[in-house]
Amino acid sequence: MHGRWRIRDAPSLASGRCDIGDASEVAADVDGARRFIRGTAAGRVDQTWYEVFRGGCTTKRLHSRDERSQVTSELLRRAPAIVGYVTRVELARELKVRSNGRLRLDPR
């Protein structure tokens, strides 16, 4: 089903807030975050997801021109797992390992 849908990830981590407008809050699967969704999944998928957490948010746009139910259900099932999140501690540890100790995450 490749090529029938896509997800664009547009992080806005520098922002303390997202403009979620009229998005509806739904159950989140990211620890410490709240998820809001704007758009429709009826027929073809055209949604914007906002993961809002302390210090920032991410925005994902889910879009499919294909209205077949198996395509839209696969997109909505896979979407939460496509973009992953890690803590600053995990990121700092991995950066240190991958750079052989040369790089360190800004402590802010």
Side-chain angles (χ1 to χ4, degrees), residues 12-34:
S12 53
L13 299 175
S15 170
R17 308 180 82 194
C18 283
D19 179 12
I20 61 170
D22 61 351
S24 300
E25 187 167 5
V26 297
D29 59 356
V30 177
D31 287 343
R34 297 170 64 194

PDB file of all heavy atoms in Angstrom, residues 12-34:
ATOM      1  N   SER A  12       7.666  21.436  16.071  1.00  0.00           N
ATOM      2  CA  SER A  12       7.714  22.837  16.475  1.00  0.00           C
ATOM      3  C   SER A  12       8.174  22.878  17.926  1.00  0.00           C
ATOM      4  O   SER A  12       7.522  23.437  18.773  1.00  0.00           O
ATOM      5  CB  SER A  12       6.347  23.502  16.291  1.00  0.00           C
ATOM      6  OG  SER A  12       5.346  22.757  16.936  1.00  0.00           O
ATOM      7  N   LEU A  13       9.295  22.228  18.186  1.00  0.00           N
ATOM      8  CA  LEU A  13       9.777  22.064  19.546  1.00  0.00           C
ATOM      9  C   LEU A  13      10.189  23.367  20.207  1.00  0.00           C
ATOM     10  O   LEU A  13      10.176  23.458  21.413  1.00  0.00           O
ATOM     11  CB  LEU A  13      10.944  21.064  19.560  1.00  0.00           C
ATOM     12  CG  LEU A  13      10.591  19.660  19.073  1.00  0.00           C
ATOM     13  CD1 LEU A  13      11.838  18.797  19.007  1.00  0.00           C
ATOM     14  CD2 LEU A  13       9.551  19.029  19.963  1.00  0.00           C
ATOM     15  N   ALA A  14      10.568  24.370  19.435  1.00  0.00           N
ATOM     16  CA  ALA A  14      10.986  25.643  20.011  1.00  0.00           C
ATOM     17  C   ALA A  14       9.796  26.426  20.562  1.00  0.00           C
ATOM     18  O   ALA A  14       9.955  27.317  21.362  1.00  0.00           O
ATOM     19  CB  ALA A  14      11.718  26.478  18.966  1.00  0.00           C
ATOM     20  N   SER A  15       8.633  26.081  20.142  1.00  0.00           N
ATOM     21  CA  SER A  15       7.433  26.769  20.575  1.00  0.00           C
ATOM     22  C   SER A  15       6.926  26.177  21.877  1.00  0.00           C
ATOM     23  O   SER A  15       6.899  24.957  22.045  1.00  0.00           O
ATOM     24  CB  SER A  15       6.352  26.629  19.498  1.00  0.00           C
ATOM     25  OG  SER A  15       5.118  27.089  19.989  1.00  0.00           O
ATOM     26  N   GLY A  16       6.529  27.020  22.786  1.00  0.00           N
ATOM     27  CA  GLY A  16       5.947  26.554  24.038  1.00  0.00           C
ATOM     28  C   GLY A  16       4.502  26.143  23.880  1.00  0.00           C
ATOM     29  O   GLY A  16       3.941  25.492  24.742  1.00  0.00           O
ATOM     30  N   ARG A  17       3.901  26.515  22.752  1.00  0.00           N
ATOM     31  CA  ARG A  17       2.485  26.215  22.527  1.00  0.00           C
ATOM     32  C   ARG A  17       2.243  25.894  21.063  1.00  0.00           C
ATOM     33  O   ARG A  17       2.974  26.333  20.205  1.00  0.00           O
ATOM     34  CB  ARG A  17       1.621  27.414  22.899  1.00  0.00           C
ATOM     35  CG  ARG A  17       1.876  27.960  24.285  1.00  0.00           C
ATOM     36  CD  ARG A  17       0.987  29.126  24.553  1.00  0.00           C
ATOM     37  NE  ARG A  17      -0.308  28.583  24.957  1.00  0.00           N
ATOM     38  CZ  ARG A  17      -1.411  29.289  25.027  1.00  0.00           C
ATOM     39  NH1 ARG A  17      -1.409  30.549  24.691  1.00  0.00           N
ATOM     40  NH2 ARG A  17      -2.544  28.751  25.426  1.00  0.00           N
ATOM     41  N   CYS A  18       1.185  25.152  20.808  1.00  0.00           N
ATOM     42  CA  CYS A  18       0.713  24.901  19.446  1.00  0.00           C
ATOM     43  C   CYS A  18      -0.603  25.642  19.266  1.00  0.00           C
ATOM     44  O   CYS A  18      -1.377  25.756  20.213  1.00  0.00           O
ATOM     45  CB  CYS A  18       0.410  23.423  19.238  1.00  0.00           C
ATOM     46  SG  CYS A  18       1.818  22.375  18.994  1.00  0.00           S
ATOM     47  N   ASP A  19      -0.851  26.090  18.075  1.00  0.00           N
ATOM     48  CA  ASP A  19      -2.161  26.657  17.761  1.00  0.00           C
ATOM     49  C   ASP A  19      -3.048  25.500  17.330  1.00  0.00           C
ATOM     50  O   ASP A  19      -3.097  25.146  16.151  1.00  0.00           O
ATOM     51  CB  ASP A  19      -2.041  27.700  16.657  1.00  0.00           C
ATOM     52  CG  ASP A  19      -3.391  28.302  16.297  1.00  0.00           C
ATOM     53  OD1 ASP A  19      -4.370  28.086  17.047  1.00  0.00           O
ATOM     54  OD2 ASP A  19      -3.466  28.976  15.255  1.00  0.00           O
ATOM     55  N   ILE A  20      -3.721  24.886  18.298  1.00  0.00           N
ATOM     56  CA  ILE A  20      -4.535  23.718  17.984  1.00  0.00           C
ATOM     57  C   ILE A  20      -5.920  24.100  17.491  1.00  0.00           C
ATOM     58  O   ILE A  20      -6.661  23.233  17.024  1.00  0.00           O
ATOM     59  CB  ILE A  20      -4.638  22.758  19.190  1.00  0.00           C
ATOM     60  CG1 ILE A  20      -5.307  23.450  20.373  1.00  0.00           C
ATOM     61  CG2 ILE A  20      -3.266  22.218  19.563  1.00  0.00           C
ATOM     62  CD1 ILE A  20      -5.651  22.522  21.507  1.00  0.00           C
ATOM     63  N   GLY A  21      -6.264  25.384  17.591  1.00  0.00           N
ATOM     64  CA  GLY A  21      -7.546  25.854  17.072  1.00  0.00           C
ATOM     65  C   GLY A  21      -8.714  25.033  17.579  1.00  0.00           C
ATOM     66  O   GLY A  21      -8.879  24.840  18.767  1.00  0.00           O
ATOM     67  N   ASP A  22      -9.490  24.492  16.645  1.00  0.00           N
ATOM     68  CA  ASP A  22     -10.691  23.739  16.994  1.00  0.00           C
ATOM     69  C   ASP A  22     -10.454  22.226  17.042  1.00  0.00           C
ATOM     70  O   ASP A  22     -11.388  21.441  16.981  1.00  0.00           O
ATOM     71  CB  ASP A  22     -11.814  24.050  16.015  1.00  0.00           C
ATOM     72  CG  ASP A  22     -11.464  23.674  14.577  1.00  0.00           C
ATOM     73  OD1 ASP A  22     -10.294  23.338  14.306  1.00  0.00           O
ATOM     74  OD2 ASP A  22     -12.370  23.727  13.728  1.00  0.00           O
ATOM     75  N   ALA A  23      -9.206  21.813  17.180  1.00  0.00           N
ATOM     76  CA  ALA A  23      -8.892  20.387  17.238  1.00  0.00           C
ATOM     77  C   ALA A  23      -9.504  19.758  18.490  1.00  0.00           C
ATOM     78  O   ALA A  23      -9.625  20.400  19.527  1.00  0.00           O
ATOM     79  CB  ALA A  23      -7.377  20.170  17.226  1.00  0.00           C
ATOM     80  N   SER A  24      -9.866  18.502  18.389  1.00  0.00           N
ATOM     81  CA  SER A  24     -10.473  17.776  19.504  1.00  0.00           C
ATOM     82  C   SER A  24      -9.425  16.948  20.221  1.00  0.00           C
ATOM     83  O   SER A  24      -8.591  16.305  19.582  1.00  0.00           O
ATOM     84  CB  SER A  24     -11.559  16.834  18.982  1.00  0.00           C
ATOM     85  OG  SER A  24     -12.558  17.557  18.320  1.00  0.00           O
ATOM     86  N   GLU A  25      -9.509  16.928  21.550  1.00  0.00           N
ATOM     87  CA  GLU A  25      -8.570  16.112  22.305  1.00  0.00           C
ATOM     88  C   GLU A  25      -8.995  14.651  22.249  1.00  0.00           C
ATOM     89  O   GLU A  25     -10.175  14.328  22.366  1.00  0.00           O
ATOM     90  CB  GLU A  25      -8.484  16.575  23.760  1.00  0.00           C
ATOM     91  CG  GLU A  25      -7.404  15.858  24.534  1.00  0.00           C
ATOM     92  CD  GLU A  25      -7.084  16.507  25.874  1.00  0.00           C
ATOM     93  OE1 GLU A  25      -7.761  17.465  26.273  1.00  0.00           O
ATOM     94  OE2 GLU A  25      -6.131  16.028  26.521  1.00  0.00           O
ATOM     95  N   VAL A  26      -8.025  13.791  22.040  1.00  0.00           N
ATOM     96  CA  VAL A  26      -8.254  12.342  21.999  1.00  0.00           C
ATOM     97  C   VAL A  26      -7.216  11.676  22.902  1.00  0.00           C
ATOM     98  O   VAL A  26      -6.295  12.329  23.380  1.00  0.00           O
ATOM     99  CB  VAL A  26      -8.153  11.789  20.551  1.00  0.00           C
ATOM    100  CG1 VAL A  26      -9.232  12.384  19.664  1.00  0.00           C
ATOM    101  CG2 VAL A  26      -6.772  12.032  19.980  1.00  0.00           C
ATOM    102  N   ALA A  27      -7.366  10.393  23.108  1.00  0.00           N
ATOM    103  CA  ALA A  27      -6.416   9.661  23.947  1.00  0.00           C
ATOM    104  C   ALA A  27      -5.023   9.721  23.326  1.00  0.00           C
ATOM    105  O   ALA A  27      -4.865   9.546  22.122  1.00  0.00           O
ATOM    106  CB  ALA A  27      -6.850   8.212  24.094  1.00  0.00           C
ATOM    107  N   ALA A  28      -4.035   9.987  24.153  1.00  0.00           N
ATOM    108  CA  ALA A  28      -2.644  10.079  23.695  1.00  0.00           C
ATOM    109  C   ALA A  28      -1.910   8.787  24.019  1.00  0.00           C
ATOM    110  O   ALA A  28      -2.222   8.121  25.003  1.00  0.00           O
ATOM    111  CB  ALA A  28      -1.943  11.255  24.355  1.00  0.00           C
ATOM    112  N   ASP A  29      -0.927   8.445  23.179  1.00  0.00           N
ATOM    113  CA  ASP A  29      -0.113   7.269  23.463  1.00  0.00           C
ATOM    114  C   ASP A  29       1.339   7.646  23.712  1.00  0.00           C
ATOM    115  O   ASP A  29       2.218   6.802  23.720  1.00  0.00           O
ATOM    116  CB  ASP A  29      -0.223   6.237  22.338  1.00  0.00           C
ATOM    117  CG  ASP A  29       0.217   6.784  20.999  1.00  0.00           C
ATOM    118  OD1 ASP A  29       0.539   7.980  20.907  1.00  0.00           O
ATOM    119  OD2 ASP A  29       0.243   6.006  20.031  1.00  0.00           O
ATOM    120  N   VAL A  30       1.580   8.937  23.939  1.00  0.00           N
ATOM    121  CA  VAL A  30       2.914   9.440  24.241  1.00  0.00           C
ATOM    122  C   VAL A  30       2.913   9.882  25.701  1.00  0.00           C
ATOM    123  O   VAL A  30       2.109  10.738  26.091  1.00  0.00           O
ATOM    124  CB  VAL A  30       3.303  10.624  23.325  1.00  0.00           C
ATOM    125  CG1 VAL A  30       4.653  11.184  23.704  1.00  0.00           C
ATOM    126  CG2 VAL A  30       3.255  10.215  21.860  1.00  0.00           C
ATOM    127  N   ASP A  31       3.787   9.287  26.520  1.00  0.00           N
ATOM    128  CA  ASP A  31       3.835   9.635  27.941  1.00  0.00           C
ATOM    129  C   ASP A  31       4.042  11.126  28.138  1.00  0.00           C
ATOM    130  O   ASP A  31       4.930  11.721  27.528  1.00  0.00           O
ATOM    131  CB  ASP A  31       4.969   8.877  28.650  1.00  0.00           C
ATOM    132  CG  ASP A  31       4.649   7.413  28.838  1.00  0.00           C
ATOM    133  OD1 ASP A  31       3.464   7.036  28.729  1.00  0.00           O
ATOM    134  OD2 ASP A  31       5.589   6.637  29.107  1.00  0.00           O
ATOM    135  N   GLY A  32       3.225  11.726  28.991  1.00  0.00           N
ATOM    136  CA  GLY A  32       3.370  13.129  29.329  1.00  0.00           C
ATOM    137  C   GLY A  32       2.830  14.094  28.289  1.00  0.00           C
ATOM    138  O   GLY A  32       2.999  15.303  28.421  1.00  0.00           O
ATOM    139  N   ALA A  33       2.177  13.597  27.249  1.00  0.00           N
ATOM    140  CA  ALA A  33       1.661  14.469  26.194  1.00  0.00           C
ATOM    141  C   ALA A  33       0.145  14.370  26.097  1.00  0.00           C
ATOM    142  O   ALA A  33      -0.455  13.401  26.550  1.00  0.00           O
ATOM    143  CB  ALA A  33       2.277  14.090  24.847  1.00  0.00           C
ATOM    144  N   ARG A  34      -0.431  15.394  25.508  1.00  0.00           N
ATOM    145  CA  ARG A  34      -1.853  15.393  25.168  1.00  0.00           C
ATOM    146  C   ARG A  34      -1.949  15.439  23.655  1.00  0.00           C
ATOM    147  O   ARG A  34      -1.176  16.150  23.012  1.00  0.00           O
ATOM    148  CB  ARG A  34      -2.540  16.610  25.786  1.00  0.00           C
ATOM    149  CG  ARG A  34      -2.493  16.575  27.299  1.00  0.00           C
ATOM    150  CD  ARG A  34      -2.959  17.880  27.901  1.00  0.00           C
ATOM    151  NE  ARG A  34      -4.359  18.127  27.581  1.00  0.00           N
ATOM    152  CZ  ARG A  34      -4.955  19.302  27.753  1.00  0.00           C
ATOM    153  NH1 ARG A  34      -4.281  20.333  28.223  1.00  0.00           N
ATOM    154  NH2 ARG A  34      -6.225  19.454  27.459  1.00  0.00           N
TER     155      ARG A  34
END
